[in-house]
Structure formats: structure tokens, C-alpha cells
Amino acid sequence: MNVFRAALYKELLLQWRTRARVLSVVVFGATALLLMSFAIGPDAGALRLHAGGFLWLALLLSSTLTLEASLEAETEQQALEGLLLLPVPPTILFYAKAVANTLQLALLGAVLVPVAIVLYGAETARPLALFGLLVLGAAGLAAPGTLYATMTARARAKQTLLPLLLFPLVVPVLIAATKASSLLILGDPMRQLAAWLTLLGGFCGIYWTLCGLMFGLIVED
Amino acid sequence: MSARVEAAVVCRGLVKRYGSVTAVDGLDLEVRSGECFGMLGPNGAGKTTTIEILEGLNAPDAGEVVVLGERWAGDGMALRARLGIQLQETKYPEKLTVAETLALFRSFYPRGLSVAEALAVVALQEKADAFVRGLSGGQRQRLSLACALVGDPELVFLDEPTTGLDPQSRRQAWDIVEDLKRRGRTVLLTTHYMEEAARLCDRVAIVDRGKVIALGTPRELIASLGAEHVVEFAVDGTGPAPTSQELAALPSVQAVEREAAAWRLSVREVHRAVPALLAVLAEQGREPSQLSVHSATLEDVFVHLTGRTLRDA
Ligand SMILES: Nc1ncnc2c1ncn2[C@@H]1O[C@H](COP(=O)(O)OP(=O)(O)OP(=O)(O)O)[C@@H](O)[C@H]1O
Ligand SMILES: [Mg+2]
């Protein structure tokens, strides 16, 4: 547990030190939201209807940028091999990285939500639930994202490989997160929210377990 | 079962192939507890490959390895906690400071030095708050040494710990190793500097093409030449030249080697061999274009065994 705390602290510290980069990602995400709102036009009803989907799309695009940044420091310099020297299971280091990435993505989401509220009129009556949903969705993106950033770290064309690998895997997460967001924004007369959140949570659980196991295997290769 | 493990590292018949290259070719080693053991060899001799197999980073194609009485099996975490490892090249996150990097490594080990102690060991106190990004090559090397020592390991693997260091930093690194020896730690290091091996190591294995070709204390190895000094000379141009037989017959000359116009004589007593050599040359109307004498070193042992120098092997 000590080891996990130390590793998480290191990840967060590194993120804090590279915050200028995160800022550019925020601008990127906000720009994506802006463009998509223009594509829909001034119809307030249509904007609200699509807000959930576009919010997650913007988050997904931004996530590929932040995840790569998080591994860049280590991979450019083959520090992954260094992990094997430590008397620490690599899996612990993976979870520290994934938790840090989750926090960063959730924070990004929390910044993008107000933007979406302004652009799409996407207020919700349950802001806390929306924040919980952001964390859950971020976790669903972060675990496979962290893993794939490691896998493709050595491939030359990692900029193109990462999204290629990440997108298909996170489709279920995105669908569930989008659905749940729409329900929070538009209202939930049929009480479907719980089902979608359960689905989302289930996928998160699966990804976090599988990715943790696979990270150990990849690093030892 | 013996209660005490006498050998810190034992490996037998180690083989590692990369495609058609046999990097390690049936290598045997035994490192005793508390000694500083050196692997000396030219580039590509297989030193890094061997040490990485011993560290459990690399799996051998054949052979067995026992480290601190254990084999590499399972995740090896308990064993890892007792080792300190400096890779030939390690990189650390550029945006952490030196002290933060050491604190991180320290938190991974169950026991060890404090960050301040580790900094003091490698004399990096002044750089404690500097970012890794801003360190010079030699300072990075010292940081990686500190990271290897911060868990207070029983057995330390150092792969070319002084390559790229300036003479002063090299001497500091030597002091660190000598301090480890004093505290009863076992050190296995690789190097291609023979002065380093001669000065630091209790025993040295000379490695070439994946095999140990000589083993012993630096003194024993040099003594195996049968001569304490090496006379090197060259005669340019044409005309009569001394033959190997003539040279071998000179007083106190033990061995003669020739490389183009350059000759190497292994001699026991310089004051008898050199005048005789000059006399032979003078008889033939020649003068040496070069003449030098040095005490025999591990380098000479390597040359004697392989016919090549460590640098151009
Ligand atoms: N991953 C690898 N793939 C292919 N060949 C390799 C690999 N690692 C090492 N080799 C080869 O194995 C041989 C031994 O390499 P090794 O790195 O062990 O030498 P070394 O003694 O450490 O040399 P140096 O003094 O240059 O560090 C070399 O011929 C090298 O090219
Ligand atoms: Mg090497």
C-alpha cells in the first residue's frame, strides 16, 4: 500500500509538473465541443439532445492526448525496463498510473461540463451524479488507455496506433456513459439510469482486472 | 543443507543466443559473499547479457543461476528486495528532482538508506533539488548508483559504473565501491577499464566472446604472464630485423609477440632485457622508432590470451 501511494504520488507530481500540457488539452476539448455545437446549429432542443454524446466524444479525443503524455516520460527513455528491477509487482505501478490518469480525465471532464452547459444548454438536476458518472467513465477509458499506451510505446507510430487500438475497446464504455449522461441531462422518466451505470461499472471492473494482468505480462516480455 | 550461503552468485553453463549471435557461450561464474568480483572484457564480450541474466531480467537459453541461494522463479520480489542494480543505461523521469527520484526508489524497498544518506554516498547533495533533466551524464550515472544503493542491498550489480565519468567522478565511484566492500556487501561489476578491475576487484574474470578465459585475483592473473614488465618497441623501414628467436633468447625475456612492425616482449627484469635488446638492434645498424616499458597489467593478460587488445577486440 505504501508502494502504491508512493507510485501514485509520483504520477500526480509528474502530471502537475506537465500541467501546461493539460491546459492545451482542455482547450482542444473545448474547441471540439464548440465545433460540434456549430454543426448542429442553433436549435436548442437538438443541442440538448446531443450534448451527452458530444461531451464523451470530446473526452475520448482529449484522452488519447493525455494518456500518451503520461507515458511519454517513461517510454522515450526505456524506463519500463527499469520497473523490472524493483522489488514491486509491475501491476501495482500500473494501477497507480491508471488511477492518476483516471483523475486527470475526470478533472478534464469536470472542466468540459461547464463548457457543454454553456454551448449546449446541458444543465442537469443531478450534478453530483454527473460527476460520479464522469469518474466512472474516465476509469473505463483510463485502464485500457494506460495499457495501450504501454503496449504501443515502443512502436514508432504510436500517435496513430494508440487511438486505433483504444477506440474499439472503449465503445461499450462510451455507449453506456453517453446514455447515462443523456438521461441525467434530459431526465429519466423510465428509471433506466441505474441499469446503464451498472453496465458501465461492470465494464470498468472487467477492464481494470484484465488490464492489470496484461500489464504485468507485457512489461516482462 | 549448509546454513550459510558461501557463494553470492553461482552460474553454470550459461548460454544465450540472439539469432545467429551467441552472446554468452557456456559461461561459469562463482562470486563469493563479501567480495568484489569483476567481469573484464571488450565491447560485445557478453558482460551485459550475463549480468542481466543474473539479475533475472533476461532468461538464459541454457544453464542455471543461483543468486543469494535462490533461483529466479515466480515474481522474485523477495530476492529483488535484496539486490541493488545499476543498468548500463537507466533513465529516470526528467521532471522529478534527484531527491524525489531517490525517495520514490526508497519507498519500493522494505529497508534502506535515507534519501540524505544516499545523496551523501554519491556526493550529490548539492543537486538534491535539481531536476533530473538538468543533470550531466556523470551526475545521472551517480544518481543511478544511488538508486541501486538506496535499498541497502546485500548484493550489488554494477554494469560499467564508471563509463562516461570524468576522472574525479570515477575516483568517487571507486570510493563508493570500496565502502561497500568494507561494509561486507558483495559487488559484481563489469568494466573494460583494467585499472578499475585491478584496483577494485578481489577477483576478476576475463570474458571474451561469451566465455570466461581467465579467472583469478588481479595479482594472480598478472603473475600468470610469468613476467612483471612489458617492453614494447618498433623498428621502421627496411633492412635486417631481429627475429623472434633472437629476441626470445635475450636475457630475462619470457615471451615475444609481434604485430606488424611492433613487438611486445614480456620481461622479468627490465634493466637486463633492454640493454641487450638495444645491443642486438645496434648490431644490425637499427634504432627503435618507439620504445616503452610498463609494468604488466590485466590488459597485457588479455593481449596474451587473445592476441587482441581490449579496445580493438
Ligand atoms: N537484445 C539483443 N539482440 C541481439 N543481439 C544482442 C542483444 N543484446 C546483446 N546482443 C549481442 O550480444 C553480444 C554481447 O552483448 P553484450 O551487451 O552482452 O556485450 P558487453 O560485453 O556488455 O559489451 P559492452 O562492453 O559494449 O557493453 C553482442 O554481440 C551484442 O550485439
Ligand atoms: Mg555492456
Side-chain angles (χ1 to χ4, degrees):
Chain A
M1 213 53 214
N2 246 342
V3 169
F4 177 78
R5 259 212 320 268
L8 180 61
Y9 173 71
K10 170 208 133 191
E11 297 297 336
L12 294 176
L13 194 63
L14 281 175
Q15 283 185 359
W16 175 244
R17 299 243 162 97
T18 48
R19 59 192 178 278
R21 184 155 184 167
V22 177
L23 196 68
S24 73
V25 175
V26 168
V27 174
F28 171 83
T31 311
L33 282 178
L34 181 71
L35 275 178
M36 293 185 282
S37 77
F38 269 108
I40 298 171
D43 176 352
L47 279 171
R48 259 177 83 80
L49 199 61
H50 293 105
F54 286 134
L55 178 65
W56 284 98
L57 200 55
L59 261 174
L60 175 68
L61 293 176
S62 313
S63 75
T64 63
L65 293 179
T66 59
L67 292 178
E68 262 167 40
S70 93
L71 259 178
E72 207 161 69
E74 318 232 348
T75 54
E76 261 178 17
Q77 316 155 347
Q78 320 130 357
L80 279 173
E81 264 164 37
L83 298 183
L84 289 175
L85 305 179
L86 300 169
V88 178
T91 315
I92 291 191
L93 304 178
F94 167 80
Y95 283 125
K97 217 177 254 306
V99 168
N101 282 333
T102 301
L103 291 178
Q104 191 174 26
L105 272 179
L107 196 70
L108 188 65
V111 176
L112 289 183
V113 165
V115 179
I117 291 177
V118 172
L119 291 174
Y120 297 79
E123 316 80 6
T124 171
R126 300 161 71 182
L128 268 184
L130 184 61
F131 186 72
L133 172 63
L134 277 176
V135 174
L136 210 53
L141 290 179
T146 307
L147 179 71
Y148 278 127
T150 318
M151 273 172 71
T152 53
R154 278 163 220 218
R156 267 283 209 35
K158 67 172 170 177
Q159 301 286 12
T160 53
L161 267 175
L162 177 65
L164 213 66
L165 291 163
L166 181 61
F167 291 161
L169 199 80
V170 297
V171 164
V173 167
L174 284 175
I175 291 177
T178 301
K179 255 326 213 188
S181 308
S182 293
L183 292 173
L184 283 173
I185 294 166
L186 301 173
D188 182 17
M190 313 286 286
R191 308 227 158 261
Q192 294 168 304
L193 184 63
W196 285 110
L197 284 181
T198 311
L199 187 67
L200 182 55
F203 270 105
C204 283
I206 294 170
Y207 287 169
W208 278 67
T209 313
L210 279 184
C211 293
L213 291 175
M214 281 177 68
F215 184 83
L217 296 178
I218 290 167
V219 171
E220 257 153 62
D221 231 355
Chain B
M1 294 289 312
S2 72
R4 209 177 114 75
V5 186
E6 284 301 334
V9 179
V10 182
C11 75
R12 297 266 169 262
L14 222 51
V15 176
K16 180 74 186 182
R17 294 187 198 88
Y18 292 108
S20 61
V21 180
T22 305
V24 180
D25 190 6
L27 188 136
D28 300 325
L29 276 185
E30 189 175 320
V31 180
R32 298 173 191 148
S33 283
E35 79 174 338
C36 176
F37 188 94
M39 281 201 281
L40 179 65
N43 287 136
K47 303 182 298 291
T48 297
T49 309
T50 303
I51 210 167
E52 285 185 354
I53 292 172
L54 301 179
E55 290 162 352
L57 294 185
N58 210 332
D61 293 321
E64 58 170 336
V65 175
V66 180
V67 177
L68 297 175
E70 293 183 41
R71 277 164 217 275
W72 287 111
D75 64 2
M77 289 307 150
L79 182 49
R80 275 208 186 292
R82 300 163 67 195
L83 305 181
I85 296 176
Q86 181 185 35
L87 295 180
Q88 188 161 357
E89 224 178 306
T90 329
K91 299 288 170 61
Y92 301 97
E94 302 270 312
K95 290 199 169 160
L96 289 185
T97 67
V98 169
E100 284 163 358
T101 305
L102 277 170
L104 179 70
F105 271 73
R106 173 62 188 85
S107 66
F108 293 152
Y109 290 87
R111 63 196 189 95
L113 313 178
S114 70
V115 171
E117 284 168 330
L119 283 171
V121 166
V122 297
L124 267 182
Q125 295 98 319
E126 280 171 30
K127 291 285 173 186
D129 296 321
F131 283 109
V132 170
R133 188 176 38 188
L135 296 185
S136 72
Q139 289 163 344
R140 278 166 195 255
Q141 192 86 345
R142 282 192 266 158
L143 172 60
S144 76
L145 198 51
C147 287
L149 300 180
V150 77
D152 195 18
E154 289 166 53
L155 170 61
V156 188
F157 291 101
L158 306 174
D159 196 357
E160 301 199 8
T162 62
T163 301
L165 296 189
D166 59 31
Q168 193 197 345
S169 308
R170 172 167 305 156
R171 215 142 284 137
Q172 278 171 357
W174 289 353
D175 290 342
I176 296 168
V177 173
E178 270 161 1
D179 182 53
L180 285 170
K181 277 162 67 178
R182 264 195 300 279
R183 292 191 290 127
R185 303 297 188 263
T186 310
V187 181
L188 173 57
L189 62 84
T190 76
T191 180
H192 40 209
Y193 298 112
M194 62 256 163
E195 330 77 275
E196 183 165 299
R199 163 154 178 185
L200 289 181
C201 299
D202 300 309
R203 290 193 308 145
V204 174
I206 298 183
V207 180
D208 187 40
R209 300 191 172 145
K211 285 195 174 80
V212 174
I213 56 173
L215 175 73
T217 66
R219 222 170 239 271
E220 283 166 0
L221 288 173
I222 292 167
S224 74
L225 286 173
E228 267 131 58
H229 304 280
V230 175
V231 175
E232 288 176 301
F233 73 96
V235 275
D236 295 337
T238 53
T243 63
S244 300
Q245 286 92 334
E246 277 178 282
L247 293 171
L250 294 175
S252 118
V253 169
Q254 298 293 304
V256 179
E257 278 153 56
R258 173 173 195 175
E259 223 184 301
W263 295 85
R264 295 166 58 90
L265 310 180
S266 304
V267 306
R268 209 172 273 155
E269 290 165 304
V270 176
H271 64 277
R272 294 180 56 206
V274 170
L277 168 66
L278 293 176
V280 166
L281 290 176
E283 243 168 62
Q284 296 170 336
R286 311 291 301 266
E287 263 186 4
S289 58
Q290 254 177 13
L291 177 66
S292 68
V293 179
H294 62 259
S295 304
T297 64
L298 289 172
E299 170 104 30
D300 298 306
V301 178
F302 185 79
V303 173
H304 179 72
L305 290 171
T306 65
R308 293 168 291 140
T309 63
L310 277 171
R311 308 254 166 255
D312 65 23

